[in-house]
Amino acid sequence: MRLSAYYLPTLRETPAEAQIVSHRLMLRAGMMRQSSAGIYVWLPLGLRVLRNIERIVREEQDAFGCREMLMPTIQPAELWRESGRYDAYGPEMLRIRDRHDRELLYGPTNEEQLTAVFRDTIKSYRQLPKLLYHIQWKFRDEVRPRFGVMRGREFLMKDAYSFDIDRDGAIRAYNKMFVCYLRTFERMGLRAIPMRAETGPIGGDLSHEFVVLADTGESEIAYHRDFLSLSLKNTDIDVDGDLQPIVDRYTANYAATDEQRDRGREAELGDDLIAGRGIEVGHIFYFGTKYSKPMGATVTAATGEEVAVEMGSYGIGVSRLVGAIIEASHDDAGIVWPDAVAPFQIGLINVKADDAECTAAADTVYEQLRAAGVDILYDDRAERPGVKFAEMDLIGVPYQLTVGPRGVKAGTVEWKARRSGERAELPVSAVVNLFVR
Ligand code: ATP
Ligand code: MG
């Protein structure tokens, strides 16, 4: 992508309304703009990151046997009256009336919607288990929308739902999503710690929040230091096998947020305890028959009995993750994207756009990398070099290539890793080979 043909409205000044670094950087890097409180316009650069996160979430859901569908944003109020949540949800729910005076709402979550579809389509235990998900915009009229996309009113969520004949099956589904989440966040370059959580308005009896460590997080957390060395990377996961041992490894040590904290246990941990703040990026629940019972979602069991189906739900804050990743990965110069979610893999800078030789060399590097399928952003503008370097650092592209008059004479370009700051002068052919596999 040539920057001259792109739409990247960066800001030089730090916007006054943004209180935390991710919000500031997203505005400055031209990723998004506010539409109204807690509602955002995603600009091309921000959308690329959002889509990358969405893709990783989708790939991991699919890999764990979860089937994608798409439910509407607008739901009928009746469904929520059936579950009893229409009144219980309170002013966070955006209630709407259509021209026929029918009551609708903009979904804050989708348990009722999917339970209603389920009860009309699944009748027998033979059709179970089922794991279904969608990635869809939600609306919650938060009392205090703030911190940009981290606590928006309109936000993108992946929500999955499991349906099983009994508790054992439901726990298996829970464990699947638990391990799926560990893998999903690791792929994004994040350390997300699963913590025992309150079940809140979703209700139920087993729940974990996945929390990314960040000083600006809204949750107060405390956890055993062993979490900092736990990693799934070397674990071969058999998705259909017994995942309990992996889950046990992650739940053996103490980790809790906010009200769930146990000061007694924390005192016993002594130096092994780390207290800090974190950002909730995912939340999983097992809630049994909380919705299936009142909504009549039953199936015929092997015994011939009609039983209410056992359910769980599993959320990931897709748009919140954009901010959370920045909170976890930035420096004084700007964003430092982990490779897996970066909007572009390479940022190519032509230092002297008014120099024919320099431009010819930069064009060649650009065309070769583009032809090889590398996601590359080419700053071909006639801007001052200082501006170009600063903007490339700001938007956090993981690798930078700089073509300048001196290098052109020597047949080299400068390579720089954004995260480490490591630099090298490389022959043009070597650069192309570095990224083309
Ligand atoms: P929180 O405690 O942060 O208000 P929640 O517990 O109400 O979140 P869930 O119902 O568990 O949220 O939703 C699943 C996921 O959706 C959360 O883990 C979070 O990542 C994301 N999420 C929830 N509310 C928002 C919001 N207002 N803006 C952005 N993402 C959100
Ligand atoms: Mg939650």
Side-chain angles (χ1 to χ4, degrees), residues 140 198 209 280 282-283 285:
R140 294 183 186 175
E198 258 194 313
E209 287 178 359
E280 177 192 325
H283 198 165
F285 303 87

Side-chain angles (χ1 to χ4, degrees), residues 373-413:
V374 178
D375 256 340
I376 178 166
L377 182 66
Y378 174 21
D379 193 346
D380 58 342
R381 298 169 308 167
E383 272 284 356
R384 281 185 293 119
V387 170
K388 293 185 170 191
F389 291 129
E391 284 197 355
M392 207 52 98
D393 278 351
L394 172 66
I395 67 172
V397 176
Y399 304 99
Q400 297 174 10
L401 295 175
T402 301
V403 176
R406 244 179 307 136
V408 166
K409 296 237 152 42
T412 62
V413 299

Side-chain angles (χ1 to χ4, degrees), residues 1 53 73 79 101 188 195 226 258 266 312 320 338 359 390 395:
M1 179 66 63
I53 291 170
T73 53
L79 285 181
D101 217 24
M188 293 175 194
M195 305 196 172
D226 281 0
D258 299 322
E266 290 186 11
R320 175 178 289 183
T359 298
I395 67 172

